[in-house]
Amino acid sequence: MHRIRIVLPKRESVHYRNLDILHDALVNGWTKAGAHAEEVIGMNAKMWHFASLGWHSGNGNHCHTLVVGTPDPSLARFLGQIDPAEVAHSRVQTAEAVNFSKADILPDPAPVGSDQMGLGILMLSPLAISRRNGGKGPKWHRDLRECDLSGAVNFRLSRLAGRKVDLRIEPDRLYLRINPKHDTLVRTKVMKGGREAYVIGMEAPMVIQGSDADLELAWYAGIGEKNRNGFGCIGLAERGIGR
């Protein structure tokens, strides 16, 4: 298991429109470090996730830090060898380019101690949970009060990890009363014909409880869905978003 922060110098950031260009830059970093492409992209890819920390402006999005983690032993080895200069990608069709060559790499280990049992967390990237509605109606949950949060997270992590995961996740109910609209629309890529794809995620402080092994899995793998596309990265609430 391994997790890092790829941190640009203060007052510097990369500008991007859609989240997929950051994903592609990280894939380039993974493969240049020695990972095979099929280990990080596609249906048979191993578990990894990332978050983009930064801000939004009128002309797009800005990222000053990438948080990247994996619970997979082989990917963890490659993650430790990533060169920030290789975390880069450009697109001729949209004239976009991102490059993290000036960044430093800092470790971001799981804050899990012996028999800790729980963490106060916030979402460093939005939590995406799809509806089980047979293709009818909206695809993504927009309200943490309307979904089986623990069940959805445990189902996916258990399937991907190949073992039973038993986490108990409770959002901050006072926060949800004060902020009943806690969803955010994230544009992920531009499809053929110019149509934009998007995912709706949710953001709120939460308490996550479970065994040390399950808490570490959530920290290094992410929770919810679309983790490799930039969703479901958790951080310690007491640290805030930070850099």
Side-chain angles (χ1 to χ4, degrees):
M1 296 184 176
H2 194 34
R3 183 164 131 165
I4 62 172
R5 291 188 174 219
I6 304 172
V7 185
L8 287 167
K10 287 186 177 181
R11 293 182 290 279
E12 292 205 22
S13 66
V14 300
H15 175 263
Y16 67 98
R17 180 179 178 185
N18 296 308
L19 201 55
D20 65 330
I21 196 168
L22 298 182
H23 168 272
D24 291 351
L26 284 168
V27 168
N28 190 63
W30 281 112
T31 55
K32 293 293 186 180
H36 295 294
E38 59 270 21
E39 293 181 290
V40 289
I41 57 175
M43 294 295 293
N44 298 317
K46 297 177 179 179
M47 297 172 71
W48 66 280
H49 78 299
F50 79 93
S52 168
L53 307 186
W55 69 95
H56 308 288
S57 67
N59 65 342
N61 305 295
H62 301 263
C63 172
H64 58 67
T65 301
L66 288 171
V67 182
V68 193
T70 178
D72 183 83
S74 62
L75 284 187
R77 185 177 74 254
F78 297 127
L79 185 57
Q81 298 172 0
I82 279 186
D83 180 352
E86 301 294 355
V87 182
H89 191 68
S90 60
R91 289 211 179 98
V92 174
Q93 60 269 38
T94 59
E96 288 183 281
V98 297
N99 189 309
F100 287 83
S101 59
K102 294 182 180 180
D104 292 322
I105 292 185
L106 305 176
D108 196 22
V112 178
S114 178
D115 299 321
Q116 182 161 336
M117 298 303 295
L119 298 170
I121 64 169
L122 46 72
M123 300 308 304
L124 299 185
S125 57
L127 172 63
I129 297 179
S130 61
R131 297 176 184 270
R132 305 301 177 185
N133 55 14
K136 299 178 181 179
K139 179 176 181 179
W140 302 103
H141 280 289
R142 307 179 73 119
D143 191 331
L144 286 164
R145 296 165 294 187
E146 71 178 17
C147 63
D148 178 7
L149 180 56
S150 298
V153 169
N154 287 329
F155 176 80
R156 179 171 171 78
L157 282 178
S158 296
R159 179 173 60 84
L160 293 175
R163 64 173 179 83
K164 183 179 180 181
V165 175
D166 186 19
L167 291 165
R168 296 169 297 286
I169 309 175
E170 181 68 25
D172 185 321
R173 297 291 168 174
L174 177 59
Y175 178 91
L176 296 184
R177 285 200 297 270
I178 297 172
N179 300 277
K181 187 183 185 308
H182 48 273
D183 63 305
T184 181
L185 185 148
V186 182
R187 290 179 173 84
T188 55
K189 62 182 177 180
V190 176
M191 311 287 283
K192 289 182 179 179
R195 184 171 62 89
E196 290 186 327
Y198 65 89
V199 171
I200 294 174
M202 300 172 286
E203 298 175 313
M206 307 179 200
V207 172
I208 182 170
Q209 297 176 307
S211 68
D212 293 349
D214 287 352
L215 290 172
E216 286 186 340
L217 180 64
W219 184 266
Y220 290 108
I223 62 175
E225 301 171 46
K226 295 289 184 180
N227 305 127
R228 297 196 309 269
N229 297 105
F231 294 85
C233 181
I234 64 175
L236 272 186
E238 64 190 59
R239 294 181 186 168
I241 299 295
R243 281 190 63 93

